[in-house]
Each structure stands twice: as structure tokens, then as C-alpha cells.
Amino acid sequence: MEIPVIDFSKLNGDKRGDTMALLHKACEKWGCFMVENHEIDTQLMEKVKKLINAYYEENLKESFYQSEIAKRLEKQQNTSDIDWESAFFIWHRPTSNINEIPNLSQELCETMDEYIAQLLKLAEKLSELMSENVDYMKKAFSGSKGPAVGTKVAKYPECPRPELVKGLREHTDAGGIILLLQDDKVPGLEFFKDGNWVQIPPSKNNAIFVNTGDQVEVLTNGLYKSVVHRVMPHKNGSRISIATFYNPIGDAIISPAPKLLYPTNFHFGDYLKLYGTTKFAEKAPRFESMKNMTNAHKNILPSN
């Protein structure tokens, strides 16, 4: 199975209708797709990857192979609750923490900021296009405080025993729209579809890989899905992953329309707290917990 590819260059011509239909089908049937001709500067994207790879080699690689994760794998101890991953998180909106991350060069900070500024235009465009297909969704991301935006920068190092550990365990993403700048050589990302794990190929020509998170599923009343995915490690390759999360703000009110099949009127921040302890579990119990939480809150409110 080949994942859908959305060509943004076709949105302004007579192919717009077909392209919008393909986007809708990708969100409904897959929960992920590739975006080509997105107008992000490809030289800038290459520079981001180059600087992140250099940062990993200089600051993170040695400590990773000396970490408890590496020691447990070497001793062939239980690895079912760990990820073969070296990662850090950069917040961009509403406030940035990029200058607080140790040993990030000024060049890397400035390059990342420039890349995120261009990527945000793509994220906003995607939310607009999805809102054309499914009205009302954009409001959750564009409230008075704007979206919350952060990037998980990850390396999946060469792994001596890839059959014993996951790069990143199976999960769905908590938030909204996830835009991934990934390795152009080393594979590893897999999505679960129709009972099978589908391998996502490395991105050629700096295509952006996009998937939708739990909040999009709730906002669309289950029409658009957040799909279970994982990362598999490799013995002869170190994979780079720069995943930017375009999310509602923490106190954004999330509610589906028009049918209330999913939890309604909850704060995204409350969902994130629950997600933090249940990330690698099924998402349905999370939705049920949010339903119970909001219903309990309604029951204790004083009557007029």
C-alpha cells in the first residue's frame, strides 16, 4: 500500500477539486499523507537536518550509548518499556525555549526559527484545507491565543540488536497536525492500517510527512483518524526525525460537532496530562476518561 501524496501545486488550478478530495480521503482512510511542492525552502530544510545531525554527533551520541537504555539492551534485559531514541523538545509558540537548550549553536537556533516560520504557513494552510472539508475544525487551532507549536527532535541511533527493542513504541499522537521532516535515507517509521504495519519510506525531495492526532479525531467526530504508529530501529543506520506539533493551546475547548459521540468541552491541557501517563496505551479509554471527567464536572456544578 502506498500512502497518499498531496501535491500543493495543484490547489490553485483546475485540479483543486481532485486534490481536496484526495486530502479528505487521506485524512479519513489513512490519517497520514505526504505533502509535495509545499514551498518551504528545501535548502533550509537540508541545513536543519545537517545542523541537527552535527549537534547529535557532538553532544548526544556518546551519552546515549552510555545510557541505561543502551545498557539494558546490551544485557538483553526487558526492553518492552523503553525507546531506542535520543530526543529533545523545542517549544516555539506561545513562547520559545530554544535558547534554554544546552549547547545549541546560534546558527542552529536561527535556522530552526526560520524553518518553523515557513512550516507554520504550511500548518495553517492544512488546517484551512481540512476545515473546507470538515467545517469548524480550524477554530480550535486559531483561537485568541493562537496554536501551541513545538518540535520533537529525535535521532534513532544505529542499534546492535534491533530485534529486541522499538525505536519508539506504538502510540497515537495527542495533538492536532504533525508535520515531519524525516530522514531521506534511513527508514523506520511505520503506520498501522487495516491490520498491517505499513512502512513509510524516507522522504524524497524533502516532502513533508503529515499525520493527524487525537484532537483532530475528536473535532471531526471520528471522521478523520489518529493512527497508531511506531519507529523501528536499524542496525546499519541512524535515522533523523524532526516532528513539529501544531496543536490547540492548552486551555482550548475541544468539542466535536454535530454529534456528541466523542468527549466534549474538555481542555486540551487536561487531555495532555492524561496522555502523559497513557501514551502507549489504546486511545479509546482516554476518550472515555475525558467523557467521564467532563460529565462529572457538569454534575457538580451548582444549579441556578
Side-chain angles (χ1 to χ4, degrees):
M1 292 186 289
E2 293 188 4
I3 66 168
V5 176
I6 312 298
D7 185 347
F8 263 41
S9 68
K10 296 181 179 179
L11 285 168
N12 297 320
D14 57 5
K15 297 290 186 179
R16 179 181 176 84
D18 292 340
T19 305
M20 290 294 292
L22 180 59
L23 175 62
H24 178 69
K25 182 178 179 180
C27 293
E28 183 180 23
K29 303 296 184 183
W30 281 82
C32 62
F33 49 91
M34 289 281 193
V35 175
E36 294 183 341
N37 296 315
H38 42 62
E39 297 187 350
I40 300 173
D41 186 341
T42 56
Q43 291 185 340
L44 178 63
M45 298 168 78
E46 287 296 327
K47 187 176 181 181
V48 168
K49 290 188 289 186
K50 178 182 177 180
L51 291 173
I52 291 296
N53 278 325
Y55 177 80
Y56 167 76
E57 292 289 333
E58 295 169 9
N59 297 278
L60 303 176
K61 182 176 181 178
E62 183 178 354
S63 61
F64 178 81
Y65 284 110
Q66 295 174 353
S67 69
E68 184 63 29
I69 293 172
K71 290 176 182 177
R72 283 172 63 177
L73 185 66
E74 183 180 357
K75 296 175 183 177
Q76 297 188 35
Q77 296 174 340
N78 178 34
T79 56
S80 62
D81 61 341
I82 62 174
D83 302 306
W84 188 261
E85 174 188 66
S86 176
F88 61 94
F89 199 88
I90 305 172
W91 279 110
H92 310 291
R93 307 284 191 280
T95 56
S96 173
N97 72 339
I98 195 168
N99 292 318
E100 300 169 14
I101 297 172
N103 301 319
L104 284 191
S105 68
Q106 188 66 28
E107 182 182 22
L108 176 51
C109 291
E110 291 175 356
T111 302
M112 180 61 74
D113 285 344
E114 186 179 353
Y115 167 67
I116 292 300
Q118 294 191 25
L119 190 69
L120 272 176
K121 295 179 181 179
L122 174 59
E124 290 165 356
K125 182 67 174 178
L126 280 167
S127 71
E128 290 174 3
L129 294 172
M130 290 181 188
S131 290
E132 284 187 43
N133 281 331
V134 182
D135 194 20
Y136 63 77
M137 196 176 70
K138 185 184 175 184
K139 295 178 182 178
F141 296 94
S142 58
S144 60
K145 298 180 182 178
V149 182
T151 297
K152 178 184 176 182
V153 179
K155 284 285 287 187
Y156 298 95
E158 291 185 357
C159 182
R161 298 295 301 274
E163 72 278 6
L164 297 180
V165 69
K166 297 289 196 306
L168 182 61
R169 287 164 286 164
E170 295 85 351
H171 66 287
T172 60
D173 290 324
I177 301 172
I178 299 86
L179 304 100
L180 174 63
L181 172 57
Q182 66 165 345
D183 209 291
D184 59 1
K185 295 182 178 66
V186 182
L189 180 61
E190 297 182 351
F191 272 65
F192 195 69
K193 176 173 170 54
D194 299 335
N196 298 298
W197 285 105
V198 179
Q199 296 182 359
I200 306 301
S203 292
K204 302 300 181 183
N205 302 317
N206 282 312
I208 292 288
F209 179 81
V210 177
N211 70 278
T212 49
D214 293 349
Q215 303 315 300
V216 170
E217 182 165 333
V218 172
L219 287 164
T220 63
N221 231 342
L223 181 63
Y224 290 175
K225 305 297 184 184
S226 64
V227 182
V228 174
H229 54 285
R230 67 185 184 185
V231 177
M232 304 301 287
H234 279 262
K235 193 170 186 176
N236 300 310
S238 179
R239 180 176 180 272
I240 191 171
S241 168
I242 304 169
T244 299
F245 297 81
Y246 183 78
N247 290 342
I249 204 75
D251 60 359
I253 300 297
I254 306 298
S255 184
K259 298 177 183 178
L260 305 183
L261 302 178
Y262 280 73
T264 180
N265 293 324
F266 61 87
H267 286 106
F268 177 52
D270 291 335
Y271 186 89
L272 276 181
K273 291 177 184 177
L274 179 62
Y275 180 84
T277 58
T278 62
K279 175 176 179 177
F280 299 109
E282 293 285 337
K283 64 188 170 187
R286 284 200 295 271
F287 293 157
E288 193 63 30
S289 293
M290 296 308 297
K291 274 187 188 179
N292 294 337
M293 186 185 302
T294 54
N295 289 337
H297 179 69
K298 290 175 185 176
N299 291 336
I300 63 174
L301 288 176
S303 57
N304 293 328

